[in-house]
Amino acid sequence: MKLITRDTDYAVRILCYLSGKKERTVVVEMVRELKIPAAFLRRIAQRLSKAGILTSAKGFNGGFILSAKPRDIRLLDVAEIFQGSFSLNDCLFKRRICPDRKTCFLRRQILDIEKYVLEKFTSLTVGDILAGGSIDGQKKNNQDRRE
Amino acid sequence: MKLITRDTDYAVRILCYLSGKKERTVVVEMVRELKIPAAFLRRIAQRLSKAGILTSAKGFNGGFILSAKPRDIRLLDVAEIFQGSFSLNDCLFKRRICPDRKTCFLRRQILDIEKYVLEKFTSLTVGDILAGGSIDGQKKNNQDRRE
DNA sequence: ACAAATGATACTAATATGATATCATTACAT
DNA sequence: ATGTAATGATATCATATTAGTATCATTTGT
Ligand code: FES
Ligand code: FES
């Protein structure tokens, strides 16, 4: 089971890479550095752009650039582009099988987990990922708190 | 995204239903009550049986019965039968893309979530689900604690 | 021997994920 | 204005996972 799908994964990489850039960056360059299949990377960049996370420019000096600072790009927003909204309890009502969803204990537990994931993914930003990767430590507090 | 797949979901229902039975119960009866497609329900019961969670008997007075008390059947064990082991961070190493997994902050976060889910699913038993569904309240404490 | 049950297993269908390919559009440079 | 370098939009294909079906073999009580 995957919490993060490949597209999201690639998207995060792309965003991390672009965090180090001040100017627009072209797909071929990203491909060179990130080793992601070109056509796929392009489509991902396009979706990020459409979602407003990247800003793009066509034509000669075109390319992609972050629309916001790394620490203002939340993992949740990125993940939702590719994986839809995070709702973990598709479990039952969809097909109306659970006898009584109001009192369903299992459902409450899953909602709890969902809440936890949501909090993590909301507080986690591209900036955090970058900082955690190189600097390490100290960054732990802002997500060690639930509710 | 689903944390619990349909098979697991059905399995839990089956287990809950069988919790109310002292004698072996036959597939057709479960189908009648649970409205799960017969062939599918049967296959699920068989897998539960193979995993030792149900005990089965062939032939005339055959059927399925719980192998243990409801409160000793953990959701984790059930889920793992149908969904494999719970590891949420398939994210990267599989294809060796993440530059440095030792310091990867994102990975640490996902491991955190994984741990949380594992704890919930380990402490949650069929007994809890039953109790939560009918009695309500009071049962909350044993899973409101992480780590 | 027969009927009632599960055991084992192979198959099909639908959906989600991962990846590719192609044509349209824009923008700069000459 | 024309060519080229870029992204935009979209259609298609491939693979994996999930959901569900079908069938034959085996066991057991009467
Ligand atoms: S409502 Fe989801 S398991 Fe009961
Ligand atoms: S190791 Fe999984 S995101 Fe870096």
Side-chain angles (χ1 to χ4, degrees), chain A residues 1-4 6 9-10 12-13 34 36 75 83 85-92 94-95 97-100 103-106 108-110 112-113 116-117 120-121 124 128-129 132-134 136-137 139-140 142-146, chain B residues 1-4 6 9-10 12-13 34 36 75 83 85-92 94-95 97-100 103-106 108-110 112-113 116-117 120-121 124 128-129 132-134 136-137 139-140 142-146:
Chain A
M1 236 207 51
K2 274 174 290 185
L3 215 47
I4 284 192
R6 193 135 299 260
D9 184 335
Y10 285 167
V12 170
R13 271 163 229 281
L34 301 173
I36 297 168
L75 179 57
Q83 312 183 37
S85 84
F86 263 88
S87 109
L88 306 175
N89 74 76
D90 284 9
C91 53
L92 316 168
K94 262 191 175 170
R95 310 209 181 179
I97 314 175
C98 193
D100 187 356
T103 55
C104 179
F105 189 63
L106 178 52
R108 288 209 300 271
Q109 298 307 311
I110 294 189
D112 251 24
I113 292 171
Y116 186 65
V117 172
K120 283 254 176 203
F121 277 31
L124 232 186
D128 293 327
I129 294 171
S134 46
D136 200 72
K139 206 79 201 175
K140 290 214 62 167
N142 69 331
Q143 56 275 107
D144 236 336
R145 158 213 83 189
R146 39 190 285 262
Chain B
M1 236 205 51
K2 274 173 292 187
L3 216 48
I4 284 194
R6 193 133 297 261
D9 183 335
Y10 285 168
V12 170
R13 272 163 228 281
L34 300 173
I36 297 170
L75 179 58
Q83 311 184 38
S85 84
F86 263 87
S87 112
L88 306 176
N89 74 74
D90 286 7
C91 53
L92 315 169
K94 262 191 175 168
R95 310 210 182 177
I97 314 174
C98 194
D100 187 356
T103 56
C104 180
F105 188 62
L106 179 51
R108 287 209 301 273
Q109 297 307 311
I110 294 188
D112 251 23
I113 292 172
Y116 186 66
V117 172
K120 282 254 175 199
F121 277 33
L124 231 186
D128 292 327
I129 294 171
S134 46
D136 200 70
K139 204 80 202 175
K140 290 213 60 169
N142 70 330
Q143 56 276 106
D144 237 334
R145 158 211 82 190
R146 38 187 287 263

